[in-house]
Amino acid sequence: MSDELLFSDEQPAATADKRFEKPPWLVLVVDDEESVHRVTQLALGSMTYDERALELLHAYSADEARGILNEHRDIAVLLLDVVMESDRAGLDLVHYIRQELKNQDVRIVLRTGQPGQAPEQEVIATYDINDYRDKTELSAQKLYTLMIACLRAYRDIETLHKSRLGLEKVIRATRGIYEKHALTQFVDATLEQLAALLNLDQTVIYLYQVKAFCPVDGEFEVILPGQPAGETKFVRLEELEPAVRRLLEASIQAQQNQFEDQRAAIFCAGQQHVVMFYLEGPVALSTLDQHLINMLTENLNIALDNIDLSELLRSTQQELVYRMGDMVENHSPETGSHVKRVALYCEQLARLAGLGEEAAQMIKDASPLHDLGKIGVADAVLKKPGQLTHDEWQQMKKHATFGHRMLAGSGLPLLDAGADIARHHHERWDGKGYPDGLQGDEIPVWARIATIADVFDALSTRRCYKEPWPMEKVVKYIEERSGSVFDPDLVQLFTRNLDAFIAIRERHPDPGTSAS
């Protein structure tokens, strides 16, 4: 969706865009007498009701009327003769409309010139019609009055239907928005649902522009659909168009929705975030539109609260993860900023692999736990400067299962992901890794990513038992083991984007060292 949608007003009013005009009321005249059609056209042809004109459709038999009724499901009023191709053609058509078409909305007025053929009391009691008139009593004035009553009833029925449809859309929208756990996803979902909610009348094209704003320190952060994290645009209140500024100011002051003709400012507030939506279209928002928007807003406030709680939980989990990672660093100081770099490498590679924003964030948060199990390894083994013996290597390998045992079973997505990474980041693509000997796609993708990130960092930085390798040697080592140790597709993504990983390494060197 573009940042701005302009509505052209350069054309004269007489040639205004018909997409924005209200559709006419459809009235079907069913009678086998041509004179009845002419008289009805003369009496009602120029009539309007609720700023909508009438469009008369004509059928000269019940069979012809059936075709029109099947084609037009939004006929408001049916002026129906009783006696046509048969004595009961009109009555049979009523049965067809109500029972077979299941159309309970159209207002049916029986008009007959032979009341003896269909006595009024019997017809009213037996058939689902709305009025019964003798043709001789329907003067132009009475026909006009009758039409107003029928159209008013049909309008009210349609309003109830739209209310029900709107409530269903609010419920669906709320369900979809509640599933979003990040602010940008919340905004995207809300913009989509607002557009769907406003287009209740499918016969009119409502071209509403909708923008989202997040007030921040006297400025507005403009949030666009699909906007990547970190790509923000800020505008000051005085830089906005006067109509937009006026409505947003009123909404902020009242801390609630504000409506003005075809414009609206929607105010959503959680415990931490305030998000405002401005919408504008070519037609005024109806009372029903405003009511549904207010209902949706109540649910949006709850959704924002949920996002705030989700962010608090995530930040708490993340803090715990980094503190546990620090424990590993303190236990094995040679690793330095290893866990931080590995987390960033994993996030970068997950994005390159197309896993999506949520998965990339998850692996970034969980990967610092990959070596947590080293806490259970004896210092004599963990900090030994020389080559490990066979028994010492078997002891070192146990850190994968130690870490998994510490993290598994919490029921928290972050720790569950950390458990998978801790257990499987030493598995090999060819199945010769440890501790479970998993092969290929059997290895969780997060662990496959962490394996490359862990090895790249271990080889390219100083350890107690080695100096950092030159970058060419590191890359050659990883490429030579593509398809045996490492996932070949991930290796390809890694080598094609090597500069991004080197940049991360240079930004986060070990304390007291410089990147090689």
Side-chain angles (χ1 to χ4, degrees), residues 79 95 171 253 422:
L79 299 176
H95 182 274
I171 292 170
Q253 184 173 359

Side-chain angles (χ1 to χ4, degrees), residues 261-447:
D261 297 327
Q262 73 271 32
R263 302 181 182 90
I266 301 171
F267 186 90
C268 303
Q271 295 295 321
Q272 301 294 328
H273 295 103
V274 174
V275 181
M276 304 186 69
F277 297 90
Y278 173 82
L279 58 91
E280 180 178 349
V283 295
L285 292 165
S286 68
T287 302
L288 174 60
D289 290 333
Q290 295 180 24
H291 177 65
L292 293 173
I293 288 172
N294 285 333
M295 288 187 62
L296 179 61
T297 303
E298 293 178 7
N299 292 322
L300 293 178
N301 292 335
I302 297 172
L304 271 181
D305 279 336
N306 290 341
I307 288 173
D308 291 338
L309 291 173
S310 178
E311 288 186 353
L312 177 61
L313 176 61
R314 180 180 164 274
S315 63
T316 302
Q317 289 179 338
Q318 188 176 32
E319 180 65 20
L320 290 172
V321 164
Y322 277 107
R323 286 184 181 271
M324 285 189 284
D326 287 340
M327 289 170 56
V328 177
E329 288 192 25
N330 292 331
H331 189 57
S332 180
E334 301 82 19
T335 60
S337 300
H338 172 64
V339 293
K340 296 183 179 67
R341 289 192 298 266
V342 169
L344 294 171
Y345 297 150
C346 287
E347 179 188 27
Q348 179 71 31
L349 192 50
R351 285 204 173 99
L352 291 171
L355 297 188
E357 185 65 30
E358 285 190 31
Q361 187 65 52
M362 181 66 77
I363 193 172
K364 175 188 175 184
D365 294 342
S367 61
L369 300 169
H370 71 282
D371 273 339
L372 183 64
K374 286 184 177 179
I375 293 175
V377 178
D379 282 357
V381 174
L382 187 65
K383 299 180 180 181
K384 183 177 180 179
Q387 189 79 20
L388 297 179
T389 67
H390 177 268
D391 289 342
E392 288 171 339
W393 177 236
Q394 295 306 311
Q395 177 70 16
M396 176 66 81
K397 286 165 64 175
K398 291 180 180 179
H399 82 275
T401 52
F402 288 163
H404 180 264
R405 192 179 305 149
M406 292 180 203
L407 298 168
S410 70
L412 297 175
L414 180 60
L415 297 187
D416 288 345
D420 279 346
I421 294 172
R423 185 177 187 90
H424 298 301
H425 71 287
H426 285 294
E427 300 285 1
R428 292 172 46 124
W429 186 257
D430 59 10
K432 298 178 181 179
Y434 66 87
D436 299 318
L438 300 182
Q439 182 176 3
D441 290 336
E442 294 176 349
I443 307 168
V445 65
W446 290 346

Side-chain angles (χ1 to χ4, degrees), residues 234-252:
F234 289 90
V235 296
R236 300 196 63 81
L237 191 60
E238 57 267 21
E239 296 173 350
L240 298 171
E241 299 174 12
V244 180
R245 182 173 67 246
R246 182 177 65 253
L247 212 54
L248 289 178
E249 284 179 328
S251 184
I252 292 172

